[in-house]
Amino acid sequence: MSAESAGVLDRFVSAERRELWQRSWKRFTSRPMSVIGLGIIIAIILLAVFAPVVAPYPEHAGKFTDFSNTLQPPSLDHPLGTDHVGRDVLSRILFGYRLSLMLVGVVLGFGVPVGVLLGLVAGYYGGWVETIIMRATDTALALPPLVMALAITSALEPTLTNAMIAIAALWWTWHARLVQSIVASERGEEYVQAAKLAGASTPHILFREILPNTLSPILVKVTLDAGFVILIGAGLSFIGVGVQPPQPGLGTMVSQGTSYLPDSWWVSVFAGLAIFVLVMGFNMLGDGLRDLFDVEVNR
């Protein structure tokens, strides 16, 4: 093939891919709930990143007390009120989003690559390799994530770091099961056999041929998983084994606010609504991606 012909082919492929992405984006934007979910996630990420700038009282995210201003209702100075030691609830929620997104990043940043790698190996090789990996996966899947995370954080010092370790210790299993089922059905396809006949190495087949066909369901599951990770993290913080005061964990804020219900309702209610909005955003985005890629994943 001449250089000119190769250039024409590359331009054709690029144009075809660009058209495919345009069609996909049009399908995605045709679903209002998906667009709203994406907007919510982008807005919260920006607020979390720039929390020191946009928070009205950034110093309230740490060891700050103002006992002359405790449990003040929502006002112009404090749009969401203040908590039991006089800290601005809005400022703490913005910094709490930081901790929640950090938890999602660490848990999925560890669990997804480990699960994908084990799923690829198990699905491709089959036999005793698949049996060992998947039996270990099934055993871990039998353990409820929240109960296991609670056991680990109770045995260790209750901190955000240990909460991340506890949740990440089991999260790889879901992705291992998902990828293994896809790879097991793909390993007999013609393109895989053609790659073997062409002398392609096993890593090339796994990561260059098979893995791209698993990216769509993985992306959908990652988006849906983010909401579950946030809920588990908030649950651990609520019962006192996750984020510890004075860090502004959303679950911790809900827990502390329950002591002052119903009179000072704003502490628990607004922190709970912050969790709800963040989880809802990820779920709406995940549902939109699932419809877009036309894939089904276990939630």
Side-chain angles (χ1 to χ4, degrees), residues 66 69-73 81-87 257 260 264 266-267:
D66 181 6
N69 204 30
T70 60
L71 298 175
Q72 295 296 311
T82 63
D83 65 9
H84 62 293
V85 294
R87 296 172 299 200
Y260 306 97
S264 302
W266 48 88
V267 180

Side-chain angles (χ1 to χ4, degrees), residues 170-272:
L170 288 178
W171 217 265
W172 61 269
T173 55
W174 305 96
H175 293 271
R177 169 60 69 187
L178 172 66
V179 174
Q180 181 272 336
S181 63
I182 297 173
V183 176
S185 64
E186 291 286 325
R187 66 188 178 197
E189 294 295 325
E190 292 183 357
Y191 74 91
V192 176
Q193 301 304 319
K196 289 181 178 179
L197 293 175
S201 63
T202 299
H204 176 90
I205 295 174
L206 287 176
F207 296 105
R208 298 294 298 275
E209 303 294 340
I210 298 179
L211 181 60
N213 292 316
T214 69
L215 292 181
S216 296
I218 289 173
L219 179 60
V220 173
K221 182 153 184 61
V222 164
T223 310
L224 295 173
D225 279 355
F228 286 99
V229 171
I230 292 167
L231 287 176
I232 292 177
L236 293 176
S237 298
F238 181 84
I239 59 179
V241 294
V243 179
Q244 298 297 303
Q247 288 183 301
L250 296 178
T252 305
M253 294 175 65
V254 174
S255 177
Q256 292 175 337
T258 56
S259 301
Y260 306 97
L261 291 173
D263 295 333
S264 302
W265 53 268
W266 48 88
V267 180
S268 288
V269 169
F270 286 132

Side-chain angles (χ1 to χ4, degrees), residues 49-295:
V49 170
F50 296 103
V53 178
V54 299
Y57 304 94
E59 66 277 9
H60 290 199
K63 297 180 179 180
F64 177 89
T65 57
D66 181 6
F67 292 107
S68 64
N69 204 30
T70 60
L71 298 175
Q72 295 296 311
S75 63
L76 291 178
D77 290 335
H78 302 281
L80 303 185
T82 63
D83 65 9
H84 62 293
V85 294
R87 296 172 299 200
D88 182 67
V89 173
L90 174 59
S91 299
R92 290 182 63 78
I93 285 176
L94 295 179
F95 281 90
Y97 275 143
R98 273 188 160 191
L99 298 180
S100 295
L101 294 174
M102 185 188 306
L103 176 66
V104 170
V106 171
V107 171
L108 297 183
F110 170 81
V112 174
V114 172
V116 168
L117 180 60
L118 291 175
L120 283 172
V121 172
Y124 182 76
Y125 285 103
W128 65 268
V129 174
E130 181 179 36
T131 300
I132 292 175
I133 294 177
M134 299 319 297
R135 292 300 75 78
T137 302
D138 292 339
T139 301
L141 284 171
L143 303 172
L146 181 58
V147 175
M148 189 62 181
L150 177 60
I152 294 175
T153 52
S154 298
L156 302 173
E157 182 183 0
T159 63
L160 175 61
T161 301
N162 289 337
M164 293 176 180
I165 295 173
I167 301 173
L170 288 178
W171 217 265
W172 61 269
T173 55
W174 305 96
H175 293 271
R177 169 60 69 187
L178 172 66
V179 174
Q180 181 272 336
S181 63
I182 297 173
V183 176
S185 64
E186 291 286 325
R187 66 188 178 197
E189 294 295 325
E190 292 183 357
Y191 74 91
V192 176
Q193 301 304 319
K196 289 181 178 179
L197 293 175
S201 63
T202 299
H204 176 90
I205 295 174
L206 287 176
F207 296 105
R208 298 294 298 275
E209 303 294 340
I210 298 179
L211 181 60
N213 292 316
T214 69
L215 292 181
S216 296
I218 289 173
L219 179 60
V220 173
K221 182 153 184 61
V222 164
T223 310
L224 295 173
D225 279 355
F228 286 99
V229 171
I230 292 167
L231 287 176
I232 292 177
L236 293 176
S237 298
F238 181 84
I239 59 179
V241 294
V243 179
Q244 298 297 303
Q247 288 183 301
L250 296 178
T252 305
M253 294 175 65
V254 174
S255 177
Q256 292 175 337
T258 56
S259 301
Y260 306 97
L261 291 173
D263 295 333
S264 302
W265 53 268
W266 48 88
V267 180
S268 288
V269 169
F270 286 132
L273 284 175
I275 297 172
F276 170 76
V277 170
L278 182 56
V279 174
M280 181 183 67
F282 277 116
N283 285 344
M284 292 168 64
L285 177 59
D287 288 339
L289 292 176
R290 183 177 56 186
D291 294 339
L292 173 63
F293 295 127
D294 192 24
V295 298

